[in-house]
Amino acid sequence: MTIDNMKATSFKDATFEDWQGKAAASLKGKPIDSLYTNTYENITLKPLYTKGEFSDELAGELPGQLDYRRGIHSLGYHSEPWQIANRLFYTSVGELKEKLDNALSKGQTAIAFDVKQELFSDNRALISFISSYKNKYPLALDAGLLQTPLLAALAVAEKESGSDEGLSGFVAADPIAEAGLLGGLPAGEDEFFMKWAKVLEEAAQQLPEVKTVLVNSAPYHNSGANAVQELAIAISTGAYLLQKLIDNGWELKKALSKIVFHFAIGSNFFMETAKLRAARLLWSKTAEAFGAEPEDRKMIISAETSKFTKTIFDPYVNMLRVGNEAFAAVLGGIQYLHSGSFDEPAGTVNSFSERVARNTQLVLKSEAHLEKVADPAGGSWYVESLTKELAEKAWELFLDMDQKGGIYATLKSGWLQEQIAQTAEAREQDIATRKKSMIGTNVYANLSDNISKPAVQEIKSHHISDSLDAAIGKVSSDSSLLESFKEVEPSFAPLNLKRLAEPYEELRFRAWKLQEKGSVPKVGLICLGELKKHKARADFISGLLSAGGIIAERSGEVDSNSAAIDFINSSEAKQFVICGDQQSYNSFGPNLAQEITSEHDVKLYLAGIPDEKQSEWKIAGIQEFLHVRSNALQTLSSMLHELEVGANAKA
């Protein structure tokens, strides 16, 4: 074939039906439906997405154009790079200054730290610390209940900095999220927001470029909410706070300019990317409903990698989780990003882990070149489809919440907490049964992990301060705003912050307590037949036991009932699992279990489900059949309980 002929050659466009035919042949009789999966958002993920599924509604839409789903800047990160805003942890202003100087010199681009009472132990030191940066870097601070004194300190620092440029970024708080964590707002909802609007008005005059209103959906995410719920909550909260400012005399344009949204980014990569794109679409439509001009409908997004998905054990896997989540956030189009340290769940953050977290974003910028592309996710029909479906479902939920009185009313009634709890329960069930894997926690657990149980930290440590005596005082326009929150008595059930790995981590800590008492948590594996016959199930059981911190003690190749009895006699274990293939189970039969239980007071399990005589195995003494659909968490907890009873009996 000549070059000219090759140029003239055309190919028939492949259709979805063509793909279906090829897929059906590859599946060898399995239905096409087996390739579809359902998500916690009640969205069915298809194996293939094409442009043909969309109307012309997306045609011509570009980054920087309404409805902003593709980003708020026409050139994306190429013109406006996202800010690396990793929060720093500290014990004093001096330590914070040292850590922040180091972080900024090594790639961090925004001033971000955990806002807590220690900041106000020395007012002059705090003001000097802020002034020293001469407004070179934007602020990225969730001020929580310390917003009032912090804004006051920043106003003083602004005057003393001598810089031609004013402070920028955000020093914001979300009273609704705080109320959700505490169980209520101070008495008098209208009075509280009148005072809050007054504080923000003073800040707007002194710090005109600083955003002060946070719409924080992270607490809901870290309670187990799905992406649809997070979006509906964020839009409902944004509309609520916007209306409160308008009710207190703010102009719409000014109020919108002070709002920044904050999202936590979970492990479902494409869902999280689509979540951020859908958020901009939804807020654009919401602001339009308030009468906002197109330029004022843009959503400023701050994000953080999820706390919900992180683990204490095998912490280096958290590096991969953080990298995945940070990548998803960047593709979604954020302005500020906190990538968490891999050892943060254990409370052992150090300079190395902070460096790794910071460098995660630097790699995305400088090596993946994501800041050089406008809308890196553009062109993916999968992401576009998820964006559209998330937006539609979230809008329906938002309207449902609105009919129930809005975000705060649904919190007060407990309806919202119940919706989130149902989603969290589904997630927890999947982790318990290992339908969903957490590497190093419920699968591939490393029993040699040398981690001590961390001290229990108060979840809301940075939300509630013990004293305001050392705060800014006279500089603050209304310090009673914080005091009023301290006096809140819960009037509804607070949000239940958690991590998915916690139940398995608790099993590991129980196993460690047994070791501290001198009792090794051990279960015996009775391995039937030669290695190739029992290895698969013995390996499966070993992996299952390790998730609970239990050691698997394997027998040799058991070829008779007497050999099994000999192994039991030689072992200190009081619980045993019979492991073999179906042929071995049929050969040995339930009489093996019967002989063991008649001679020894032990708990006996069977790996897998036998092809026949299941009821006879149960009658012979098998406690449970352990297989891939078993509730691993429940089984391991039961095994540990038996070990604890035995250890206590010896004590």
Side-chain angles (χ1 to χ4, degrees):
M1 181 180 290
T2 66
I3 292 178
D4 290 337
N5 287 337
M6 290 176 66
K7 288 181 178 179
T9 300
S10 62
F11 296 92
K12 177 186 175 184
D13 289 339
T15 65
F16 182 74
E17 288 71 25
D18 293 333
W19 174 86
Q20 271 191 317
K22 293 292 185 181
S26 298
L27 289 170
K28 298 179 180 179
K30 290 183 181 179
I32 290 287
D33 289 351
S34 65
L35 300 176
Y36 290 70
T37 57
N38 294 318
T39 72
Y40 297 112
E41 292 78 14
N42 197 27
I43 291 175
T44 300
L45 300 181
K46 299 185 293 185
L48 181 68
Y49 291 83
T50 66
K51 183 179 179 179
E53 301 172 54
F54 292 86
S55 63
D56 293 334
E57 62 181 293
L58 296 178
E61 182 188 316
L62 296 171
Q65 296 181 359
L66 288 173
D67 47 30
Y68 300 118
R69 76 180 71 188
R70 297 194 62 193
I72 60 175
H73 303 297
S74 60
L75 296 179
Y77 297 128
H78 189 71
S79 61
E80 300 287 341
W82 79 88
Q83 302 294 337
I84 299 176
N86 284 2
R87 287 192 300 274
L88 300 174
F89 301 93
Y90 58 93
T91 55
S92 67
V93 173
E95 181 188 3
L96 175 58
K97 177 73 165 64
E98 181 180 347
K99 293 183 72 172
L100 189 55
D101 285 343
N102 178 66
L104 292 171
S105 70
K106 294 181 178 178
Q108 180 141 329
T109 61
I111 295 175
F113 49 81
D114 194 31
V115 179
K116 54 185 180 179
Q117 181 61 38
E118 284 81 351
L119 278 175
F120 306 102
S121 60
D122 185 339
N123 294 341
R124 290 311 312 170
L126 173 60
I127 292 170
S128 175
F129 156 66
I130 299 170
S131 301
S132 67
Y133 294 102
K134 301 290 184 182
N135 309 340
K136 293 180 180 178
Y137 305 95
L139 300 163
L141 301 173
D142 174 3
L145 300 185
L146 292 169
Q147 185 184 31
T148 302
L150 183 56
L151 286 172
L154 291 169
V156 174
E158 173 90 321
K159 294 177 182 178
E160 295 187 358
S161 69
S163 174
D164 294 334
E165 297 183 8
L167 289 170
S168 62
F170 67 91
V171 181
D174 181 348
I176 298 302
E178 301 292 346
L181 292 167
L182 294 171
L185 282 167
E189 187 178 337
D190 292 338
E191 180 184 356
F192 170 82
F193 281 103
M194 180 183 68
K195 290 181 178 180
W196 189 55
K198 185 178 176 183
V199 170
L200 300 193
E201 178 61 43
E202 183 176 335
Q205 295 172 10
Q206 297 171 331
L207 305 165
E209 299 302 317
V210 174
K211 298 182 184 298
T212 51
V213 179
L214 189 67
V215 177
N216 186 7
S217 68
Y220 309 96
H221 170 97
N222 290 322
S223 297
N226 62 40
V228 167
Q229 291 166 338
E230 289 177 64
L231 287 169
I233 288 166
I235 300 306
S236 185
T237 301
Y240 178 95
L241 295 178
L242 180 60
Q243 187 62 56
K244 289 298 181 184
L245 290 177
I246 293 172
D247 291 344
N248 282 282
W250 283 55
E251 294 181 354
L252 176 63
K253 184 180 183 70
K254 178 181 176 181
L256 286 168
S257 73
K258 295 298 179 181
I259 298 176
V260 58
F261 286 76
H262 185 75
F263 292 94
I265 308 302
S267 59
N268 190 337
F269 185 88
F270 291 106
M271 187 69 72
E272 296 300 309
T273 292
K275 179 176 78 177
L276 298 178
R277 293 161 63 89
R280 285 192 296 273
L281 184 162
L282 290 166
W283 185 241
S284 175
K285 298 298 184 185
T286 303
E288 181 183 10
F290 273 88
E293 295 297 321
E295 186 65 20
D296 299 323
R297 301 174 198 167
K298 295 179 178 180
M299 173 187 273
I300 302 299
I301 299 179
S302 166
E304 66 179 61
T305 53
S306 173
K307 293 182 176 69
F308 187 70
T309 60
K310 303 307 178 296
T311 63
I312 290 176
F313 290 96
D314 211 346
Y316 293 111
V317 181
N318 288 335
M319 290 185 190
L320 303 178
R321 297 183 178 113
V322 167
N324 177 73
E325 292 163 3
F327 194 0
V330 172
L331 290 187
I334 41 85
Q335 282 65 58
Y336 302 86
L337 178 59
H338 164 78
S339 46
S341 301
F342 68 83
D343 52 359
E344 194 172 323
T348 56
V349 175
N350 55 44
S351 59
F352 172 70
S353 59
E354 287 179 333
R355 176 188 173 196
V356 171
R358 183 173 59 249
N359 286 353
T360 297
Q361 294 195 52
L362 291 174
V363 167
L364 294 175
K365 277 179 178 280
S366 302
E367 296 189 29
H369 300 297
L370 293 183
E371 69 177 358
K372 299 186 182 302
V373 183
D375 185 23
S380 166
W381 299 117
Y382 178 29
V383 173
E384 296 293 359
S385 178
L386 281 180
T387 299
K388 183 173 182 291
E389 195 160 1
L390 278 174
E392 291 171 350
K393 287 181 176 292
W395 188 255
E396 290 177 6
L397 182 56
F398 163 67
L399 294 178
D400 193 11
M401 292 173 65
D402 193 56
Q403 289 181 347
K404 291 177 168 57
I407 180 67
Y408 192 52
T410 55
L411 278 170
K412 287 192 293 185
S413 68
W415 179 84
L416 184 57
Q417 293 91 317
E418 178 59 29
Q419 300 302 306
I420 295 172
Q422 289 176 9
T423 304
E425 184 178 351
R427 295 184 190 274
E428 290 162 357
Q429 182 66 17
D430 285 346
I431 293 297
T433 58
R434 305 202 298 177
K435 182 179 179 181
K436 300 290 185 181
S437 299
M438 296 194 77
I439 305 300
T441 300
N442 70 346
V443 295
Y444 306 120
N446 180 7
L447 291 180
S448 64
D449 269 348
N450 186 22
I451 302 173
S452 59
K453 185 172 184 179
V456 177
Q457 298 178 352
E458 179 60 41
I459 287 173
K460 302 185 254 324
S461 60
H462 90 282
H463 296 280
I464 306 173
S465 77
D466 295 329
S467 170
L468 286 180
D469 295 340
I472 298 302
K474 294 182 180 179
V475 182
S476 171
S477 63
D478 194 354
S479 63
S480 64
L481 192 64
L482 175 56
E483 289 286 1
S484 64
F485 257 109
K486 289 178 60 182
E487 297 168 0
V488 168
E489 292 187 6
S491 58
F492 58 78
L495 295 169
N496 183 20
L497 303 188
K498 62 184 73 175
R499 287 181 299 104
L500 266 178
E502 285 178 7
Y504 280 95
E505 290 167 354
E506 188 56 40
L507 295 180
R508 299 285 293 274
F509 295 135
R510 286 170 63 184
W512 280 4
K513 283 184 178 179
L514 284 167
Q515 290 181 318
E516 289 173 358
K517 294 179 179 179
S519 178
V520 178
K522 183 186 300 183
V523 168
L525 272 55
I526 302 172
C527 301
L528 304 182
E530 55 190 338
L531 179 63
K532 66 179 182 181
K533 292 187 175 182
H534 66 248
K535 186 178 186 304
R537 280 178 169 155
D539 287 348
F540 169 76
I541 296 299
S542 295
L544 172 67
L545 295 174
S546 65
I550 301 172
I551 297 169
E553 180 186 25
R554 302 196 190 197
S555 70
E557 297 181 355
V558 172
D559 55 8
S560 65
N561 290 7
S562 60
I565 298 295
D566 289 342
F567 170 64
I568 292 172
N569 289 335
S570 66
S571 173
E572 295 180 356
K574 296 298 180 184
Q575 299 178 81
F576 294 87
V577 183
I578 300 173
C579 302
D581 61 6
Q582 293 295 343
Q583 183 180 354
S584 298
Y585 291 165
N586 294 337
S587 175
F588 279 85
N591 65 316
L592 170 61
Q594 181 67 54
E595 188 169 340
I596 291 171
T597 54
S598 64
E599 295 189 21
H600 295 84
D601 183 18
V602 296
K603 297 285 185 180
L604 201 57
Y605 301 84
L606 189 73
I609 302 175
D611 287 338
E612 53 188 50
K613 302 180 180 179
Q614 291 183 26
S615 59
E616 293 183 31
W617 280 102
K618 281 284 190 179
I619 294 171
I622 294 297
Q623 299 288 316
E624 185 180 348
F625 301 126
L626 305 181
H627 51 86
V628 292
R629 293 186 298 278
S630 297
N631 188 316
L633 189 67
Q634 186 177 2
T635 296
L636 292 169
S637 182
S638 176
M639 286 180 166
L640 282 169
H641 177 70
E642 290 293 326
L643 290 165
E644 288 162 345
V645 170
N648 292 334
K650 291 179 181 178

